[in-house]
Amino acid sequence: MSMHEEGAQRLRCVLPFEAAPKEVHLLRLEVKRNLEQWGALSVLDEVGLVATELATNVIKHVGEGAPATLVLEPRGDRLRVEVHDGSRAVPTLSAVCGEAECGRGLHLLAALSEEWGTRVTATGKAVWCEILLTPALQCARVQRAAAVLDEYCRMIGPDLMSTPGHVVLGVLVPEAIADLLHWLAAQGGDPDEVLGLALDRYESAAEAA
């Protein structure tokens, strides 16, 4: 269901889905998986809610069973979320109708995002928004670790690029740490001492954040 497109210092995830209630739950699971891989779980609630509302709008206004696509793309200090569908009818933000839910999705979009909008595409339209990422994702340490793990993943097994995030965290990260400790021991270093220093630095940085 997912496809990662890689470019120079670029992450992008494309998630095709069918506009159906059962697909919305699966879509949220895919969103969580990709945010785990990017170290951006702190915005999971916002992104999950936005993705759910936009997918639900496709069901309501384009039709159940219509093909659609969710795109996630980090851009600087923001995460861009787009939902593409085959209709060129552009939604507008109007007053919420009493107790009804008309307009609810776009109002949530406006409330949760820094910016949002719509654009007509060659095959229909895209509704997009940009959600502010927490400083944790922009931390240089997190960015360096993500770059190292991406490269490490390509070296030991390209199939891991499509592995669920919790498996990557449970298998890939310990393997990378173990390899570093082997390298350190081969250089005459003390793995236990270095692990202690690393944990101290992590805890100090976490407390400061």
Side-chain angles (χ1 to χ4, degrees), residues 132-143:
L132 189 64
L133 292 165
T134 63
L137 182 58
Q138 298 308 310
C139 172
R141 290 183 183 277
V142 175
Q143 289 183 331

Side-chain angles (χ1 to χ4, degrees), residues 105-121:
L106 293 184
H107 280 276
L108 277 174
L109 205 67
L112 294 173
S113 62
E114 297 296 300
E115 293 183 76
W116 75 277
T118 61
R119 60 186 176 86
V120 175
T121 68

